[in-house]
Each structure stands twice: as structure tokens, then as C-alpha cells.
Amino acid sequence: MAEPQKMPKPLIVGRPVLVVIDVQKGSFADWEESERLPMLPDRVERMYRVRSVVDAARAAGVPVIFFKEEHRANLVDFGRELDGTENIHCLETSPYTPVATEELGVLADDYVITKRRYSCFFGTELEILLKGLKANTLLMAGGFTDVCVHYTFVDGHQHDYYCRVIEDCTTASSPPAHDAALNAMEYLQHGAVRSAQEIIDAFAARDYAPLA
């Protein structure tokens, strides 16, 4: 017996929030590709593209939450992060760790949250903030697609949010890892993988009433 076809949900359901994950100063630095981290060839262009979605969100009255991963210099909060391929990264003493405020157009009264682990939900105030914003749909950009974006997507999914990942506004540890993560997220929610232009058009087409 053939399984019934499932139709994707609308791109935005209810109130959206744009979640910008770990677009930090290092995202725009001139890192050399390596066997350990091949990365995406157009990774910097992808990170600059995030600004267009941030600007569109502001114009539509959609809240934006900026995240940065940051670790203490004594490494006490790394946990098991260094057991695999990753090296020491995002130390609080590094000039590459701050949020890329100029590149993203971050404002003084924006929501900026520091996280110690990969998922934006783990050990942060995100869930409380999303409840206050009456959020239904989470639109995610940043990096890495295969790590922090993926883990945040899964947690958002398990918290019953509609989750979308903006493919051309993400970067990854490698092209195969990028594609595998996108496939895994699409498996969880059909229609999850979208483009920046789709998100910008969706923002322009809707009118979001201010929070009561």
C-alpha cells in the first residue's frame, strides 16, 4: 500500500523569529582550507548574505536573535567538544569570537545571546525569549550547517517549532557535511530548506502585528 503524500507546511507559520547562529568575526576571516576543515568555497559570501535577511526581517517587524559561541580561556566549559575533529575555538580572549556586529548591522537593543555549547537551546535563555516573542517559526542562518545549525534545528523541532534553514546563508565544515545536514533537517520537516530570497519575499508579503 502506497504511503500518502505529505504536503510541506507554509514557509512561515504564525509568528516568525530569525535566529542568526554564530556569525562571528571569525566568519569573515581569511582561513585556509585544510583536510580537517575543507569548508565551503563561498563561505564568506554566504555570511555577508545574512545581512540581507536581517535587514528584511527588521523592515517587516520580525524579531532577530543573534548567537555567538564563546568559551572561557581556561577551557572549563568545552566538555566533550574537543574529543572529535574540532580544535580549541571561540575563546573569549580571541578577536575572532565577538558577534560580527558591523557586518550584520547589530543594534544596541538587539537580542544577543552567548552559548557555551552547540545548540542555541542548551543552557541559554532562548526558550524563555521565544515564549515572550510568541514565536511559532524559527528561521535559521549561520554556521555550521552540520553542527550548531543542525543541533539547534533538532532542538527547535523537538520543542514543536516550525523550523527553516536558509541554505545560502549557512556555512559548514565541508560540502558533504553541509548536504548531509540539510537532508537530515528536511527529513524532519518537509520544506525546511529555503533560500534567502524566499525568506525575504515571505517577509515582504506579510504584515506582523506588534506583540500585545
Side-chain angles (χ1 to χ4, degrees), residues 59-199:
V62 174
V64 185
I65 304 174
F66 298 94
F67 272 89
K68 66 170 176 173
E69 183 175 346
E70 182 177 276
H71 297 286
R72 292 179 174 85
N74 66 1
L75 315 186
V76 70
D77 50 27
F78 266 103
R80 303 270 63 79
E81 281 194 20
L82 305 180
D83 289 2
T85 301
E86 295 217 347
N87 288 338
I88 293 172
H89 56 278
C90 295
L91 294 182
E92 60 188 0
T93 53
S94 169
Y96 297 116
T97 297
V99 173
T101 53
E102 293 83 6
E103 294 84 352
L104 294 174
V106 180
L107 303 178
D109 59 349
D110 276 333
Y111 305 112
V112 180
I113 300 177
T114 297
K115 62 185 177 68
R116 305 295 186 181
R117 300 299 171 89
Y118 296 137
S119 172
C120 292
F121 283 90
F122 195 96
T124 74
E125 63 178 300
L126 179 59
E127 195 171 358
I128 293 172
L129 181 54
L130 291 177
K131 287 179 179 177
L133 295 172
K134 298 179 172 59
N136 307 105
T137 298
L138 307 184
L139 308 161
M140 303 179 193
F144 282 168
T145 320
D146 48 313
V147 189
C148 296
V149 174
H150 188 186
Y151 290 14
T152 301
F153 186 105
V154 170
D155 281 348
H157 174 78
Q158 294 182 132
H159 281 291
D160 298 329
Y161 291 102
Y162 298 94
C163 297
R164 310 287 181 254
V165 57
I166 311 172
E167 188 278 330
D168 52 349
C169 290
T170 58
T171 188
S173 63
S174 71
H178 178 68
D179 292 340
L182 293 173
N183 289 338
M185 289 184 271
E186 183 71 25
Y187 179 89
L188 291 178
Q189 295 194 18
H190 293 176
V193 180
R194 313 306 288 242
S195 69
Q197 193 59 56
E198 285 181 291
I199 302 300

Side-chain angles (χ1 to χ4, degrees), residues 14-36:
R15 288 185 177 273
V17 170
L18 176 61
V19 183
V20 180
I21 303 170
D22 301 351
V23 182
Q24 298 167 236
K25 287 296 186 182
S27 303
F28 300 92
D30 186 20
W31 303 107
E32 282 193 27
E33 296 179 7
S34 66
E35 183 177 350
R36 183 178 70 86

